[in-house]
Amino acid sequence: MSNCGLNWNREFDCKLCPRLAASRTLIVFPTPCPPGGLLAIGEAPGVEEDEIGEGFVGQAGRTLDTLLVRHGLERNRDYGVANIVRCRPDGNRKPDKTEIANCLLWLSAFLLRTRPRVLLLVGSTAAEVFLGPGPLHWQIERSRNSPVLLAKDAHPILQPAIRRLHGAVDGIFAIPMPHTSGMAWNRRVSNGKVWREIGEEQVELAVECLEFSHAT
Ligand code: SF4
């Protein structure tokens, strides 16, 4: 047993959340980015991810790939992917607070192991976990003024890992963006813009942060 309460022997057969352990087909493990790279983090695996055990392979994941490829970034070479929870919730429900807290133990350990410098937070669940409660459009506005991730805003389970990451480099960045599913993507926000345009702008901001971090 590790000092963070995780039993490493159980990572490949985790049953910390009984309902998720029962509903999943496969645990979807994160794929790392190179150290100092970009990690895209979503909420939970979808149906296709659950079946093949790989994250961001459904339509929403492919949309994100397309956006990042436009900026010259390729998955596994330049960026990695992860989810807040590793098991697919039944009926595509939102994972509950306990499930999120359970799986953040694994995510904290993964962040420390892989040391990303830029987090691209896809959808409101990932944004809330790292940036605190609040509507996504507000989180997005705030990141445009200051994209640096503050440990105090994050879920308490993540805070020690974020502090350690900050200690190793000159700050890590967190950029929230709307979920890339077709339905969410084509909705309009109150200022008349479609989420897709905002998503594209946020990806651009994440790439700028990555370039900045490579230059420092
Ligand atoms: S969601 Fe995470 S913590 Fe919960 S059972 Fe799956 S792997 Fe374990």
Side-chain angles (χ1 to χ4, degrees):
M1 188 78 76
S2 79
N3 59 8
C4 63
L6 287 174
N7 181 341
W8 294 99
N9 297 327
R10 301 310 304 266
E11 186 170 12
F12 294 90
D13 185 30
C14 178
K15 292 190 172 71
L16 281 173
C17 319
R19 197 172 160 193
L20 289 180
S23 65
R24 74 180 179 224
T25 306
L26 293 168
I27 297 178
V28 178
F29 292 96
T31 57
C33 57
L38 184 146
L39 183 69
I41 305 177
E43 177 184 285
V47 64
E48 291 166 78
E49 286 89 0
D50 174 65
E51 275 166 16
I52 64 172
E54 193 183 332
F56 285 72
V57 293
Q59 178 62 47
R62 291 196 296 273
T63 301
L64 184 67
D65 274 345
T66 306
L67 290 176
L68 289 166
V69 164
R70 263 190 225 159
H71 292 279
L73 301 185
E74 275 182 36
R75 190 184 303 189
N76 299 330
R77 188 192 68 184
D78 305 303
Y79 75 95
V81 294
N83 279 303
I84 297 298
V85 296
R86 296 178 172 192
C87 301
R88 181 176 182 239
D90 44 292
N92 275 346
R93 69 179 170 84
K94 195 177 153 91
D96 68 31
K97 282 185 181 165
T98 306
E99 291 164 343
I100 288 173
N102 287 342
C103 219
L104 286 183
L105 294 168
W106 293 122
L107 185 60
S108 283
F110 179 77
L111 291 174
L112 286 173
R113 245 183 2 241
T114 56
R115 300 192 169 270
R117 189 88 190 268
V118 179
L119 307 180
L120 184 59
L121 307 170
V122 187
S124 55
T125 299
E128 279 190 21
V129 161
F130 280 89
L131 304 175
L136 185 62
H137 67 85
W138 182 79
Q139 309 272 29
I140 287 173
E141 205 49 52
R142 199 171 60 149
S143 72
R144 290 174 175 178
N145 295 326
S146 173
V148 174
L149 173 61
L150 301 176
K152 71 175 178 53
D153 291 335
H155 190 290
I157 289 178
L158 288 170
Q159 291 182 10
I162 293 171
R163 288 203 184 90
R164 281 177 64 185
L165 288 175
H166 275 304
V169 292
D170 293 331
I172 57 173
F173 302 97
I175 314 299
M177 67 176 287
H179 196 278
T180 52
S181 75
M183 229 174 76
W185 211 228
N186 291 314
R187 267 192 213 125
R188 281 185 190 277
V189 275
S190 46
N191 64 7
K193 268 190 176 176
V194 284
W195 276 119
R196 176 174 35 78
E197 289 171 49
I198 296 171
E200 288 167 359
E201 289 166 6
Q202 290 303 97
V203 167
E204 211 170 304
L205 176 59
V207 173
E208 280 170 22
C209 289
L210 190 64
E211 287 167 357
F212 172 81
S213 67
H214 286 164
T216 56

